[in-house]
mmCIF file of all heavy atoms in Angstrom:
data_model
loop_
_atom_site.group_PDB
_atom_site.id
_atom_site.type_symbol
_atom_site.label_atom_id
_atom_site.label_comp_id
_atom_site.label_asym_id
_atom_site.label_seq_id
_atom_site.Cartn_x
_atom_site.Cartn_y
_atom_site.Cartn_z
ATOM 1 N N SER A 13 28.605 -24.720 0.365
ATOM 2 C CA SER A 13 27.331 -24.048 0.314
ATOM 3 C C SER A 13 26.419 -24.273 1.500
ATOM 4 O O SER A 13 25.764 -23.332 1.861
ATOM 5 C CB SER A 13 26.692 -24.274 -0.964
ATOM 6 O OG SER A 13 26.252 -25.601 -1.130
ATOM 7 N N MET A 14 26.388 -25.457 2.000
ATOM 8 C CA MET A 14 25.527 -25.728 3.096
ATOM 9 C C MET A 14 26.006 -25.077 4.352
ATOM 10 O O MET A 14 25.178 -24.651 5.122
ATOM 11 C CB MET A 14 25.395 -27.336 3.184
ATOM 12 C CG MET A 14 24.562 -27.954 2.104
ATOM 13 S SD MET A 14 24.491 -29.756 2.177
ATOM 14 C CE MET A 14 24.051 -30.146 3.732
ATOM 15 N N THR A 15 27.363 -25.095 4.526
ATOM 16 C CA THR A 15 27.804 -24.292 5.744
ATOM 17 C C THR A 15 27.610 -22.770 5.739
ATOM 18 O O THR A 15 27.583 -22.016 6.738
ATOM 19 C CB THR A 15 29.282 -24.545 5.921
ATOM 20 O OG1 THR A 15 30.087 -24.085 4.767
ATOM 21 C CG2 THR A 15 29.598 -26.038 6.157
ATOM 22 N N GLN A 16 27.355 -22.251 4.402
ATOM 23 C CA GLN A 16 27.111 -20.837 4.254
ATOM 24 C C GLN A 16 25.602 -20.486 4.430
ATOM 25 O O GLN A 16 25.300 -19.326 4.736
ATOM 26 C CB GLN A 16 27.591 -20.365 2.868
ATOM 27 C CG GLN A 16 29.030 -20.622 2.642
ATOM 28 C CD GLN A 16 29.941 -19.785 3.657
ATOM 29 O OE1 GLN A 16 29.695 -18.701 3.835
ATOM 30 N NE2 GLN A 16 30.897 -20.532 4.152
ATOM 31 N N MET A 17 24.694 -21.457 4.407
ATOM 32 C CA MET A 17 23.287 -21.245 4.501
ATOM 33 C C MET A 17 22.906 -20.980 5.963
ATOM 34 O O MET A 17 23.531 -21.729 6.873
ATOM 35 C CB MET A 17 22.438 -22.293 3.977
ATOM 36 C CG MET A 17 22.696 -22.454 2.493
ATOM 37 S SD MET A 17 21.534 -23.702 1.700
ATOM 38 C CE MET A 17 21.454 -25.003 2.755
ATOM 39 N N SER A 18 22.056 -20.123 6.270
ATOM 40 C CA SER A 18 21.552 -20.044 7.722
ATOM 41 C C SER A 18 19.986 -19.978 7.549
ATOM 42 O O SER A 18 19.496 -19.528 6.705
ATOM 43 C CB SER A 18 22.044 -18.690 8.300
ATOM 44 O OG SER A 18 21.548 -17.542 7.490
ATOM 45 N N ALA A 19 19.438 -20.633 8.579
ATOM 46 C CA ALA A 19 17.982 -20.744 8.552
ATOM 47 C C ALA A 19 17.389 -19.427 8.989
ATOM 48 O O ALA A 19 17.867 -18.738 9.786
ATOM 49 C CB ALA A 19 17.627 -21.815 9.549
ATOM 50 N N GLN A 20 16.296 -19.079 8.297
ATOM 51 C CA GLN A 20 15.654 -17.871 8.615
ATOM 52 C C GLN A 20 14.721 -18.070 9.722
ATOM 53 O O GLN A 20 13.960 -19.086 9.876
ATOM 54 C CB GLN A 20 14.737 -17.341 7.470
ATOM 55 C CG GLN A 20 14.084 -16.011 7.606
ATOM 56 C CD GLN A 20 13.564 -15.365 6.473
ATOM 57 O OE1 GLN A 20 13.887 -15.907 5.279
ATOM 58 N NE2 GLN A 20 12.654 -14.486 6.576
ATOM 59 N N THR A 21 14.824 -17.256 10.893
ATOM 60 C CA THR A 21 14.187 -17.343 12.140
ATOM 61 C C THR A 21 13.075 -16.411 12.216
ATOM 62 O O THR A 21 12.366 -16.468 13.212
ATOM 63 C CB THR A 21 15.115 -17.489 13.284
ATOM 64 O OG1 THR A 21 15.725 -16.251 13.350
ATOM 65 C CG2 THR A 21 16.044 -18.689 13.197
ATOM 66 N N GLU A 22 13.037 -15.386 11.489
ATOM 67 C CA GLU A 22 12.010 -14.317 11.510
ATOM 68 C C GLU A 22 11.826 -13.794 10.207
ATOM 69 O O GLU A 22 12.461 -14.032 9.180
ATOM 70 C CB GLU A 22 12.486 -13.212 12.464
ATOM 71 C CG GLU A 22 13.803 -12.513 11.969
ATOM 72 C CD GLU A 22 14.333 -11.525 12.925
ATOM 73 O OE1 GLU A 22 14.683 -11.855 14.104
ATOM 74 O OE2 GLU A 22 14.423 -10.269 12.506
ATOM 75 N N GLY A 23 10.526 -13.090 10.092
ATOM 76 C CA GLY A 23 10.268 -12.585 8.807
ATOM 77 C C GLY A 23 8.947 -11.650 8.865
ATOM 78 O O GLY A 23 8.253 -11.800 9.883
ATOM 79 N N GLY A 24 8.616 -11.061 7.861
ATOM 80 C CA GLY A 24 7.464 -10.232 7.883
ATOM 81 C C GLY A 24 7.672 -9.012 8.736
ATOM 82 O O GLY A 24 8.754 -8.755 9.340
#
Side-chain angles (χ1 to χ4, degrees):
S13 67
M14 287 173 56
T15 60
Q16 300 299 314
M17 294 187 321
S18 62
Q20 185 170 342
T21 58
E22 61 185 60

